[in-house]
Amino acid sequence: MNCLDRFFAFNRRLSSKLETRLPDAFKHHLHTLYKYQVAAIINRRPGQLVLDVGGGKECPFLQFVDQPQTHIIVALDCSEQQVRQNHQLALRIVGDAALSGFPLRDGSFDLVVSRSVVEHISNNSAYFKNCARALRPGGSMVHAFPGRFAPFALLNQVLPNRLVRRLIGYFLPEWVEEGNYGFVAFYNRCYYTAIRDLIRDNRLTNVRFVFTYYQALYFTSFFPLYCLMVSFDLTAWRLGIRNLASGILVMAERERDRAAPAAATVRGNDILPVSEVAG
Ligand SMILES: C[S@@+](CC[C@H](N)C(=O)[O-])C[C@H]1O[C@@H](n2cnc3c(N)ncnc32)[C@H](O)[C@@H]1O
């Protein structure tokens, strides 16, 4: 361990001491909330058709689903390379979620979800429209993503992607092990009021938001900066400034069509894959 490594390790120890004193609200991780929320919706009844947009290499909520064999879960991702590595799901489709329309039949899914994807979509107006159209009447959507105006997200927007990848590689080596970082991020409309408007434009109902504010965790390697970031997070949280939230979880439903059945039954031909990924 060289001098610099020891310096950062010392700073991380100081930061972790302060971290234990932070409010409980800062202990809820967005990804954990997402996994439980998605699994809770799936566990309401068997036989659901679920679309995991930007599914990538893994299906994070699958381990919390009670009877996974009764559901059809489809991963849609623009990267064939990513989705090929997803061995948890049998149905994987390559397609760009930001184009006009998913390569899937409209109105067929019980649930459309995404984790850490909205920030990578260049056109979220099209994306939310696609998600809303993919849902059957009464179907739900859940998306978890970072807020555009949180300091770490601002840094991600101003620094070159190559530098961000190098910084993550050095300061957050556990991310590198997961191999799930460094995708180009646009943060298009990635803040509360913009997403609220997109939800309203698509006439979705039963809308619920959850916000997280603790993003100082990205700065633990330099204690003075960590303290500054903790102050920022505490202020934004205490004042409830939702547009400064570092994590956003949004849940909404497509309006129930009176003529449509309450719960669709899963059938293989309910979906229309354009290009499926093999093995
Ligand atoms: C940070 S990864 C998240 C993967 C997975 N959802 C998870 O939580 O582990 C972002 C994923 O979104 C995919 N993605 C980015 N832009 C996309 C787009 N326009 N359409 C479909 N997928 C996209 C990437 O290929 C990548 O697999």
Side-chain angles (χ1 to χ4, degrees):
M1 203 188 246
N2 66 32
C3 215
L4 204 57
D5 291 340
R6 278 205 297 276
F7 172 76
F8 289 133
F10 173 68
N11 275 264
R12 276 194 288 272
R13 281 200 296 279
L14 291 178
S15 301
S16 66
K17 281 202 176 123
L18 176 57
E19 192 175 44
T20 59
R21 303 169 72 100
L22 295 178
D24 282 349
F26 280 30
K27 297 189 173 102
H28 303 301
H29 196 281
L30 185 73
H31 286 186
T32 311
L33 297 173
Y34 167 83
K35 286 189 268 196
Y36 285 133
Q37 184 57 48
V38 172
I41 296 174
I42 299 178
N43 289 336
R44 279 180 200 158
R45 63 179 180 81
Q48 296 194 49
L49 188 51
V50 180
L51 179 63
D52 184 9
V53 187
K57 291 196 281 203
E58 61 162 328
C59 180
F61 52 84
L62 194 61
Q63 60 177 308
F64 303 104
V65 173
D66 293 336
Q67 295 173 283
Q69 71 286 356
T70 72
H71 307 285
I72 294 180
I73 306 176
V74 184
L76 167 74
D77 201 292
C78 65
S79 162
E80 180 169 345
Q81 187 230 346
Q82 288 293 310
V83 89
R84 253 187 203 288
Q85 298 171 64
N86 189 333
H87 300 298
Q88 292 172 305
L89 299 180
L91 268 172
R92 293 159 291 161
I93 293 166
V94 178
D96 188 338
L99 294 182
S100 89
F102 285 155
L104 295 156
R105 185 166 296 162
D106 284 348
S108 49
F109 284 88
D110 297 285
L111 181 60
V112 174
V113 300
S114 71
R115 184 184 81 165
S116 305
V117 173
V118 175
E119 71 273 29
H120 300 292
I121 300 279
S122 57
N123 179 356
N124 271 311
S125 177
Y127 177 57
F128 274 79
K129 196 172 173 185
N130 291 341
C131 292
R133 280 173 57 177
L135 286 177
R136 67 163 175 80
S140 309
M141 64 167 75
V142 182
H143 305 283
F145 52 94
R148 155 177 206 138
F149 300 118
F152 84 96
L154 290 172
L155 272 179
N156 199 11
Q157 287 163 75
V158 295
L159 297 177
N161 186 255
R162 277 178 65 175
L163 178 59
V164 170
R165 293 178 73 97
R166 289 187 72 162
L167 290 172
I168 290 174
Y170 184 74
F171 290 113
L172 298 161
E174 64 280 6
W175 285 28
V176 182
E177 274 162 39
E178 287 173 20
N180 196 11
Y181 75 103
F183 297 95
V184 174
F186 302 98
Y187 294 94
N188 173 253
R189 303 200 188 201
C190 274
Y191 53 98
Y192 163 63
T193 44
I195 296 294
R196 183 200 59 193
D197 291 349
L198 289 181
I199 295 281
R200 195 182 45 207
D201 293 348
N202 286 291
R203 290 189 285 155
L204 296 159
T205 59
N206 279 340
V207 186
R208 279 170 299 147
F209 279 93
V210 178
F211 302 96
T212 59
Y213 289 89
Y214 181 44
Q215 55 84 52
L217 78 170
Y218 295 111
F219 302 96
T220 53
S221 297
F222 187 49
F223 187 61
L225 184 57
Y226 177 73
C227 291
L228 186 70
M229 289 298 161
V230 166
S231 313
F232 177 94
D233 295 349
L234 284 169
T235 308
W237 170 65
R238 275 263 175 236
L239 298 177
I241 309 174
R242 295 167 167 190
N243 278 345
L244 293 183
S246 57
I248 300 174
L249 182 75
V250 60
M251 295 156 274
E253 288 173 15
R254 184 173 159 189
E255 232 170 8
R256 208 174 276 281
D257 178 350
R258 281 198 203 115
T265 314
V266 174
R267 292 183 302 273
N269 61 0
D270 272 348
I271 52 176
L272 193 68
V274 161
S275 85
E276 232 172 85
V277 176

